[in-house]
Structures are given as C-alpha cells and as structure tokens.
Amino acid sequence: MLRLWALGQRPRIFSCRSLHTTTVNNAAAASDTTSSSAPEWTPTSIRTGLIARKRGMTVMWDDHGARFPVTVLQLENCQVTANIQTVRKDQSEYHAVQVAASDKREKTTTKQMLGHFKKAGVPPKRIVKEFPVTPDAHVPVGTTLSAIHFVPGQFVDVIANSIGKGFQGTMKRWNFKGLRASHGVSVSHRSAGAIGAHQDPGRVWPGKKMAGRLGGERTTTQNLAVVRIDSSLDLIFVRGCVPGVDDAHVMVRDAKKKMTSVAQVQHAKGETDKVLPKGIDIMPFPAGTREMAAQLPPIIQAPTHRRSPFIPRS
C-alpha cells in the first residue's frame, strides 16, 4: 500500500481534561462510515489527528551518518469516541472526529464522562479532543488508532502548551537586542528603553511589548518530519523539538502547509507526482488502526533523500 512500508530492510530497535462541547450526531456519521466500499485517500481529504505523550528527546543518525535530534511521542490507547457533524450559522457543515487517550480509573471520572465513554465502548480516558476532518474521513467509534497513522517521510504539526518560564524581561520575551554595551549606557544594558511618546498620544498604547509572563500558552510547531514509526510500542519519532514538558499530552496532525495545502494545490495543477512528499504513494485512510499495523513491519524508518553533508560541494 505504501512504498516506504514495503521496504525489506528492518532497522534496529532504538532504545530510548477538557472536552470541547458540541453537538454529536453519531447516526449521521455512522451511515457514512458503514458504506460498502472502503474509502480511499484523495488530495482534498483531511484526516483526523492523534493524541500522544511527549516522552523526551534523543538523537538518531541518517544513512550518511549525520546526527540529528528527534522527539519521541507515544500513543496511549488512543481511541475514537465520537463522530461530530453540525451545521454552522452560514449553513456550512462542520465534521470532526473526537479522539480520547490515556486510560484512567472510573473512580476519578465524572458520571457524565463515564456515560459518554460507555456509549462509545471505550474505557475512561484522561484527555478528549476533536480534530476537524472532511466528510469522507470519519472513523468508526471505538477504533483504536496506531502510530502507523503517520507515514515516515511525511510532515506533521504538533500542538501543545508551551513550557512556562515565569516573568521574563523584554530581551528574552520579545527578542529585543537591548541597549548599547559601550558608551552612554549605565547599568541598563538589558532594559527595554523608553516606552512613552510625545504629547500626542500622551499615553502608552495597549499591547506594547514589555516584560511579563512568558510561555504556558497553546502553541503549534509546524512541518516536523516523521523519521521513524514503531507500531509495537506505538512510538512516533519526529525530527526536531515539540512544545510542552516531558509526559505532557500533545496533539499531532498532518501538516497544514506541507501536506494538506500542498496536496490540494498540486492536485489542482494536475501534478499528481508532487501531491505527497517524495517516497510516499498514499496515506492510511481514514486512519491507521491496530489491525493495519499487524500487517506491516513493526519498525519503519524513512530513507534519507538529501545528499551527504560530508561530501564537499563541487
């Protein structure tokens, strides 16, 4: 099904609470997902994302021996709890897949959420989120998602709460360069400088970049490359760093810029060979499940497409 997943070589194993309230219409979504023919991915399709835990960072080496940093994300029994379909005020339809992850005890779960999880046929979860999708990308309720939902070689966006850094100055918070470190400045090299203006306006404008609390807010890191998948441990290795502290929940989805938008633009141009990144033929659709993972190698790694950094340029 996937060119990358058909590679015969198997790499070594690398050691290493809120619910968005909306109207849930399971009956309408179930009629779409129970069609006789299995849905296929199209360049206009938008798949659901996953909820993972950030386990930490480590390093890997590519085919040329170059070292690069990666972040390890792990799925914890990530399952679909609902399919959402509502009509907006402008009469457009909103479709989403509700995903929950990380099992928890019934004792610490509210009765309302216990009924919601019981209806979906899944154990109680710690975190529930929903991902907007296209009408053809609904996933049956109760489906257990796997790490093979993402293909090595593709790009993803990771959403999480950034690390809180407390009260910080203007240089760290807004990347100000500071005042002169030589003549004319006395013990105020890292200060913000003057904030006032002339008699007109005679005040400080709202939103002025000044010292204050930094971090601890929802942020998105875009266009991170997936370099390895371990379906036996449900690990996703992404190149680079992601927001959040270790063991924090993060949301992972197909990159909007390098995956979704590029696929739609290239499809409109008729360039079918450039719809997906190099080496990928098709995406698991509507989602990568554990049943699909059982038919594929447990560890899949993306090949290195760039030239060797150790060869001098001619």
Side-chain angles (χ1 to χ4, degrees), residues 282-304:
I282 197 172
M283 304 291 293
F285 195 79
T289 62
R290 284 188 177 178
E291 293 75 16
M292 189 182 299
Q295 304 174 2
L296 298 169
I299 298 179
I300 309 161
Q301 184 168 335
T304 303

Side-chain angles (χ1 to χ4, degrees), residues 49-51 75-80 99-102 125 143-145:
L50 303 180
I51 301 176
L75 304 184
E76 289 185 337
N77 200 18
C78 186
Q79 294 178 295
V80 178
V99 178
S102 298
K125 305 288 184 180
T143 302
T144 302
L145 304 176

Side-chain angles (χ1 to χ4, degrees), residues 7-152:
L7 295 176
Q9 182 179 3
R10 294 175 56 181
R12 295 184 299 111
I13 297 180
F14 197 82
S15 303
C16 15
R17 288 194 202 267
S18 61
L19 175 64
H20 177 62
T21 305
T22 184
T23 305
V24 179
N25 190 347
N26 290 324
S31 61
D32 297 336
T33 56
T34 56
S35 57
S36 57
S37 60
E40 294 183 0
W41 182 87
T42 62
T44 58
S45 300
I46 299 178
R47 305 187 306 158
T48 180
L50 303 180
I51 301 176
R53 274 190 185 270
K54 177 183 175 181
R55 291 306 185 190
M57 295 192 69
T58 182
V59 295
M60 293 178 58
W61 285 263
D62 60 13
D63 298 340
H64 304 300
R67 179 177 179 266
F68 60 91
V70 295
T71 303
V72 183
L73 307 177
Q74 185 175 24
L75 304 184
E76 289 185 337
N77 200 18
C78 186
Q79 294 178 295
V80 178
T81 54
N83 287 295
I84 300 166
Q85 180 179 356
T86 60
V87 180
R88 301 187 180 96
K89 292 183 179 180
D90 59 355
Q91 301 305 314
S92 63
E93 290 187 351
Y94 170 77
H95 296 265
V97 173
Q98 188 184 94
V99 178
S102 298
D103 296 345
K104 63 181 298 187
R105 296 182 299 172
E106 294 185 4
K107 180 180 178 180
T108 57
T109 307
T110 62
K111 292 184 178 180
Q112 294 84 352
M113 292 306 298
L114 280 176
H116 180 69
F117 293 132
K118 183 178 180 181
K119 183 179 179 180
V122 301
K125 305 288 184 180
R126 290 187 177 275
I127 181 171
V128 181
K129 297 292 181 181
E130 67 180 46
F131 296 88
V133 298
T134 48
D136 59 340
H138 285 287
V139 185
V141 176
T143 302
T144 302
L145 304 176
S146 173
I148 63 168
H149 182 75
F150 298 112
V151 184

